[in-house]
Amino acid sequence: MEWALGVSLDTSSIEVFTSNEGIAHRRIEEIASDRLKVPRTTKPYRVLYEGSLSSWSLSGPGEYLAGAGIALPEGCLNRHEVFKFVDGGLTVHVPALVLMQAFFKPSPILFPAAFKIAGLDLLAYVDYAQATPVVVIDDLAYIRHTRRCRENTAPNKPLEWLHLSKSAKHAMHSVYLGASNGTLRMSLPLGDFRVALHGPRVGNQVFATTATLIAMTIPAEDSVTGTSETMIFHSMADPQRSSKASAGGINIPLHSDGTSAVTDQEWQMIEPILTPRFNAQKIIHSRRDLLDAILLKLSSGIWWAKVPTKGFKITDLSWTFRRWKTDGLVDQVLEVLNASRSNGPRVESITRIGNKPVMVSEKV
């Protein structure tokens, strides 16, 4: 169990209390991609907060630590602020670090910038020469990272929000000011927010360990453009999103014995399609094994979690499918399979009507 105590004097690392190591130091870049600096739970309770953060107030960190079952040793100074708010009869406690990790994403690039003076301005700037001011990203590492982000995220939105909202930019700067005093703290920005929080529930109290910023609206008086703007940080919350990576409605041609796995001859034609164009893209798992598992899922209609795998995680499988589908590779693979398996008497596949899988059998 871990708890972030505060920031080191040189603001390059965060002091962490662990039940095994005592007090240790973790580099901020390491914290950026690792949320295990506050207690976690295997069965978290979910709270969806919608509204202004003006109702949030500072809570005594001792209340959070007691509720999370953390006992700091005598003389161990906690410098980590905790917010709290009441929602539907529940009192929710939110550590500042949890909020930072939700607001300052993509974490590996944007989160460390919060602990540097003018760190935000090193990543992008506002071009006021345009009729409507726009945010221009000019950090190459940030651009490269966002290109690798998953399709269900909007990687540039957090950076745009932090530049366009005056109070959001002040909130990020407040992190640096707090860090210069060894404290994990931040001011709360203006606007209407939609935030999902997860953490253990004890009675009528929830102790958040993770948070996800889904969407927010910048009020006109807080925007550098002078107009209100709603920003969607997660594409799943966008009512106008297109389901380019949906697994529904895909017909998989099967072999005459009803199986879906590719043959050696089919793989010779498919392998060049699924071979990464850039050598920098690491290949960890067998692309053929991933493809066979994906074809099994699509042809049978079973849940991702029920698909038999060969040593890789279900998240690796589902993420690979979404990436291949978004890049148009799944369609190219299906063209090969349809041509290869068109000699059989019938092509059978599974499609969905509503939530029910339905077998479709067509003459070739």
Side-chain angles (χ1 to χ4, degrees):
M1 185 173 293
E2 299 182 337
W3 173 253
L5 294 169
V7 185
S8 63
L9 294 178
D10 61 359
T11 69
S12 65
S13 63
I14 291 180
E15 295 180 6
V16 179
F17 169 75
T18 70
S19 54
N20 297 326
E21 304 177 51
I23 298 179
H25 287 79
R26 302 282 191 270
R27 290 187 57 81
I28 289 177
E29 288 76 12
E30 179 184 349
I31 298 284
S33 56
D34 180 7
R35 295 191 174 203
L36 300 180
K37 302 306 168 227
V38 291
R40 298 293 294 273
T41 178
T42 56
K43 295 182 179 180
Y45 185 83
R46 182 176 186 269
V47 175
L48 179 61
Y49 180 82
E50 296 180 289
S52 169
L53 304 184
S54 59
S55 62
W56 293 28
S57 61
L58 287 176
S59 168
E63 191 173 1
Y64 182 95
L65 294 173
I70 300 177
L72 298 180
E74 186 176 354
C76 184
L77 179 62
N78 178 74
R79 306 181 307 280
H80 188 170
E81 292 187 348
V82 178
F83 297 97
K84 72 175 180 180
F85 64 89
V86 177
D87 183 74
L90 291 175
T91 300
V92 184
H93 303 264
V94 187
L97 183 58
V98 170
L99 208 57
M100 294 175 196
Q101 290 173 323
F103 284 178
F104 308 142
K105 295 179 67 178
S107 297
I109 304 294
L110 189 51
F111 179 81
F115 294 84
K116 302 174 182 178
I117 186 170
L120 183 62
D121 296 326
L122 298 177
L123 301 177
Y125 63 91
V126 179
D127 183 4
Y128 288 97
Q130 304 294 327
T132 300
V134 296
V135 177
V136 179
I137 301 174
D138 62 351
D139 182 79
L140 184 59
Y142 191 96
I143 295 173
R144 288 174 175 173
H145 174 78
T146 54
R147 287 176 178 172
R148 297 192 298 269
C149 289
R150 299 181 181 182
E151 78 286 339
N152 67 335
T153 61
N156 293 334
K157 288 299 181 182
L159 192 54
E160 293 175 7
W161 166 55
L162 291 167
H163 271 285
L164 296 178
S165 167
K166 302 172 188 176
S167 63
K169 190 170 186 177
H170 175 72
M172 191 171 186
H173 184 59
S174 72
V175 173
Y176 165 75
L177 294 178
S180 63
N181 294 322
T183 304
L184 281 167
R185 63 172 298 272
M186 66 174 291
S187 61
L188 297 176
L190 301 176
D192 289 325
F193 291 81
R194 189 179 186 192
V195 185
L197 304 114
H198 295 81
R201 176 177 176 176
V202 181
N204 64 347
Q205 298 190 88
V206 177
F207 303 93
T209 58
T210 62
T212 301
L213 179 58
I214 300 173
M216 67 84 53
T217 298
I218 306 174
E221 63 273 17
D222 185 49
S223 174
V224 298
T225 65
T227 59
S228 176
E229 182 176 358
T230 297
M231 310 196 77
I232 306 295
F233 297 93
H234 198 290
S235 64
M236 295 294 288
D238 190 348
Q240 299 180 347
R241 74 183 183 92
S242 59
S243 301
K244 295 188 296 183
S246 172
I250 300 178
N251 295 329
I252 304 298
L254 304 178
H255 296 292
S256 58
D257 60 358
T259 59
S260 60
V262 298
T263 64
D264 291 341
Q265 184 178 3
E266 288 172 339
W267 179 244
Q268 289 181 358
M269 295 182 286
I270 292 173
E271 185 177 16
I273 298 174
L274 301 182
T275 299
R277 297 180 180 179
F278 304 101
N279 294 331
Q281 185 174 342
K282 295 182 180 180
I283 302 175
I284 301 175
H285 305 295
S286 165
R287 295 188 298 278
R288 182 171 179 176
D289 289 343
L290 288 168
L291 176 61
D292 283 342
I294 289 172
L295 293 176
L296 176 61
K297 183 267 184 292
L298 296 177
S299 63
S300 64
I302 62 177
W303 297 104
W304 287 109
K306 300 295 183 181
V307 178
T309 61
K310 295 184 178 180
F312 46 82
K313 298 179 181 179
I314 294 299
T315 51
D316 294 329
L317 183 63
S318 59
W319 181 82
T320 298
F321 165 73
R322 289 195 296 269
R323 180 164 56 83
W324 287 354
K325 185 68 171 66
T326 303
D327 293 344
L329 303 183
V330 170
D331 294 335
Q332 296 179 46
V333 169
L334 290 179
E335 288 182 7
V336 173
L337 296 183
N338 281 316
S340 173
R341 301 175 184 181
S342 62
N343 295 326
R346 305 181 74 86
V347 174
E348 294 183 329
S349 60
I350 293 286
T351 187
R352 283 181 174 270
I353 298 179
N355 293 324
K356 297 180 179 180
V358 178
M359 176 68 73
V360 176
S361 181
E362 301 175 352
K363 290 184 178 181
V364 179

